Amino acid sequence: MMGFGSFGQQDAAPMAEINTTPLVDVMLVLLVVFIVTAPVMTHAVKVELPKATASVQQVVKTPLRLTLKADGSLLDEQSVLNAAQLDAKLAAVFKADPQTEVHLYADKTVQYERIAQTMAAAQRAGLSKIGLMTNGQGG
């Protein structure tokens, strides 16, 4: 009995060659396509644009800075805030500009629960850009 691919050899090993002809054919077709389309993609239309002199105005938004001290007190730029004052301050900031960033400076000894409560208050007010600030020095 003759097995598939044996061609008369009874103990022949299975064929281990890969037919690369289709791969070469596909690569040559892709090469031709890219050679033909490359000049079309780099073709540009020359247009004389008008000149204008206008200064670029960048609006610098000042972030809301909140500071959590080691004793657990929360400060903004001016004074100490309690929970109700914090909610009112955050609501006023959101009403003025919903894209205002909140920068939270927390002492490293402050409990995480207090930080999470402050962040949750900002999110409840609608402020989504909240950053935890560090001193930027490793160690």
Side-chain angles (χ1 to χ4, degrees):
M1 183 165 123
M2 199 179 265
F4 178 72
S6 65
F7 299 111
Q9 298 173 355
Q10 295 297 328
D11 295 330
M15 189 169 75
E17 295 179 18
I18 298 174
N19 187 3
T20 58
T21 305
L23 177 66
V24 171
D25 289 344
V26 169
M27 294 303 292
L28 287 173
V29 168
L30 287 174
L31 180 65
V32 169
V33 167
F34 287 132
I35 288 173
V36 170
T37 59
V40 175
M41 294 173 64
T42 59
H43 180 60
V45 177
K46 294 189 179 201
V47 176
E48 287 290 327
L49 297 175
K51 302 272 190 244
T53 56
S55 62
V56 177
Q57 295 182 355
Q58 292 184 355
V59 178
V60 178
K61 295 181 181 180
T62 57
L64 173 63
R65 295 174 53 125
L66 298 176
T67 305
L68 277 167
K69 293 177 66 177
D71 61 1
S73 60
L74 178 68
L75 291 89
D76 65 353
E77 289 88 1
Q78 294 90 14
S79 61
V80 178
L81 300 172
N82 61 26
Q85 292 171 329
L86 175 63
D87 290 338
K89 174 94 175 173
L90 292 171
V93 167
F94 178 77
K95 187 175 182 183
D97 183 10
Q99 296 299 317
T100 301
E101 294 181 7
V102 177
H103 291 180
L104 183 57
Y105 296 83
D107 191 273
K108 65 182 180 181
T109 60
V110 173
Q111 290 184 351
Y112 180 73
E113 178 183 11
R114 186 75 174 108
I115 296 170
Q117 288 171 350
T118 306
M119 291 173 62
Q123 286 180 333
R124 278 194 310 270
L127 298 168
S128 59
K129 295 182 178 182
I130 305 167
L132 297 175
M133 309 311 285
T134 63
N135 66 1
Q137 298 173 354

